[in-house]
Amino acid sequence: MPEGVRISVPQRPLSAHPARELAINELFARQRTVGSVAQLEALGLSPRAVRRRAKVGRLHRIFPAVYSTTPRALLAPRGWWLAAVLACGPDAVLSHRSAAALWNIRGSLRAAIDVTSPRSGGRRIDGIDAHCARTLTAADVAVVDGIPCTSVARTVLDLAAVVPRREVERAMDQSEMIEVFDLRAFDDVLARNPTLPGASAVRGVLDEYQRAEARFDTLTENDFEDEFLALCDAAGFPRPEVQQYLTLPGGEVIRADFLWREQRLAVETDGGKYHRTYWKREQNARRDLLLAEDGWRPIRLTWRMVYQRPEETMGTFENLLARGGVNIRRLE
């Protein structure tokens, strides 16, 4: 090579701002591949640059001023939900039917997404049912899977204004079943919003629950157990062992309400209260995990399953016992 001659290797311009690009990538990764123009601008990407990236297919417009790195047809429901919240402003939250679906207390196949904001105004956005709630407070807001949404109690209150009462009952049943029901939160949201359209329906359902609880609130543990044993006898099941002690992995000893030892079924009767404390839920979950580790199948029964849904409950037990080799003896 002649002296003094240099060969320059052209460099491919990856990005003039690698730190900015990293921050943008982290934003989309954190937010289910969606982000608002305002968020991108805060990271140093101008609205013009956003439009340029959308034009070449690096970004995809989901709602006005909200884009995704995922094409619209491939964006998951939770991505759409978060995009709708971002499109409605910084104080907006997922609500009503959409929030119920996010909390897993009621399914929804609606194409439109419910979003609530404490402020009114703004233009209508296709695909979003925008609601204004000036009474919305911090106590009414939660974050689920990174998506701002109304709390369970506020969700049910809003839901009651747009669906039939039976759907409200089912949503509350489901919230109890997955242990996100908090009676104090319902009392609080009703006290702050006594005249909202859904308040009377929610109050009526709660009153029915509390009357049912009062009916069984004086039941002792033995009453509950006696009722379950009576159902087992009527169904022709072999009698389970009652109040048996088990030594769990690690040496902890517990007392199980009922055991079908050969089938490795351990049944607990959880009493008549439908409101669980955080500590109790943690204790129960840990106990069930240890039982499962030791080869047991832990099953929890509520008073509603025994007193109000006995046929459904015993049908499930019949299937479980049959799988364990039990020949059910039908009583005439």
Side-chain angles (χ1 to χ4, degrees):
M1 179 184 299
E3 187 177 353
V5 176
R6 290 186 177 181
I7 298 178
S8 62
V9 179
Q11 298 293 319
R12 182 181 180 185
L14 296 176
S15 172
H17 305 283
R20 182 192 67 188
E21 294 303 311
L22 178 60
I24 290 172
N25 290 337
E26 289 177 346
L27 172 72
F28 283 117
R30 188 171 63 249
Q31 294 189 166
R32 301 184 175 276
T33 77
V34 300
S36 69
V37 170
Q39 289 177 323
L40 294 172
E41 194 170 5
L43 295 177
L45 195 67
S46 69
R48 182 180 178 183
V50 172
R51 292 192 296 271
R52 187 163 56 246
R53 293 188 184 203
K55 186 175 182 179
V56 298
R58 293 180 63 186
L59 293 177
H60 307 273
R61 184 178 182 273
I62 306 302
F63 292 113
V66 178
Y67 290 81
S68 175
T69 55
T70 301
R72 291 172 60 91
L74 301 179
L75 189 62
R78 278 169 165 74
W80 279 98
W81 292 340
L82 181 54
V85 170
L86 292 173
C88 292
D91 296 324
V93 294
L94 200 71
S95 64
H96 296 72
R97 290 151 292 208
S98 302
L102 176 61
W103 279 108
N104 196 31
I105 61 175
R106 181 183 181 272
S108 176
L109 297 177
R110 296 178 74 246
I113 300 170
D114 290 304
V115 177
T116 292
S117 173
R119 293 188 299 271
S120 61
R123 61 192 179 94
R124 180 180 177 83
I125 302 175
D126 289 341
I128 298 177
D129 277 347
H131 308 267
C132 174
R134 301 188 188 280
T135 61
L136 197 70
T137 69
D140 298 320
V141 175
V143 177
V144 176
D145 286 350
I147 304 172
C149 63
T150 48
S151 67
V152 171
R154 180 69 194 221
T155 296
V156 172
L157 176 61
D158 292 337
L159 189 65
V162 294
V163 301
R165 176 191 166 101
R166 179 57 185 147
E167 292 297 306
V168 179
E169 295 173 355
R170 288 175 178 168
M172 293 176 74
D173 280 343
Q174 178 67 7
S175 71
E176 176 190 343
M177 187 176 301
I178 64 175
E179 296 191 325
V180 294
F181 183 96
D182 187 336
L183 181 59
R184 290 169 298 182
F186 274 89
D187 288 340
D188 174 64
V189 77
L190 287 171
R192 290 187 287 107
N193 304 278
T195 62
L196 286 188
S200 61
V202 174
R203 194 176 295 110
V205 175
L206 282 177
D207 287 345
E208 287 183 4
Y209 275 22
Q210 289 169 327
R211 284 197 299 271
E213 178 182 299
R215 179 183 171 193
F216 297 109
D217 199 36
T218 57
L219 289 176
T220 65
E221 193 172 60
N222 286 333
D223 289 327
F224 199 167
E225 291 170 1
D226 287 345
E227 182 68 19
F228 179 65
L229 287 175
L231 290 175
C232 290
D233 290 342
F237 298 166
R239 272 270 177 131
E241 300 175 47
V242 181
Q243 299 299 328
Q244 295 295 305
Y245 287 91
L246 294 174
T247 302
L248 299 178
E252 183 175 344
V253 177
I254 67 167
R255 188 181 70 175
D257 292 340
F258 302 99
L259 294 179
W260 277 281
R261 197 175 294 272
E262 186 176 344
Q263 290 71 36
R264 306 294 284 180
L265 295 179
V267 181
E268 294 294 313
T269 50
D270 278 354
K273 296 293 186 183
Y274 59 81
H275 173 63
R276 302 283 188 268
T277 65
Y278 172 81
W279 179 86
K280 187 64 174 176
R281 290 198 302 270
E282 288 291 316
Q283 184 185 53
N284 289 342
R286 177 177 177 274
R287 176 172 167 155
D288 290 350
L289 186 62
L290 291 174
L291 282 166
E293 181 185 359
D294 201 35
W296 293 90
R297 178 177 291 182
I299 298 173
R300 294 196 169 273
L301 291 177
T302 66
W303 63 264
R304 189 173 290 114
M305 295 167 69
V306 171
Y307 286 97
Q308 293 189 344
R309 300 173 182 171
E311 293 183 3
E312 175 186 322
T313 300
M314 302 317 289
T316 300
F317 267 96
E318 180 175 346
N319 292 333
L320 291 172
L321 291 170
R323 290 174 191 171
V326 174
N327 184 21
I328 306 300
R329 176 179 54 85
R330 294 292 185 185
L331 297 182
E332 299 298 334

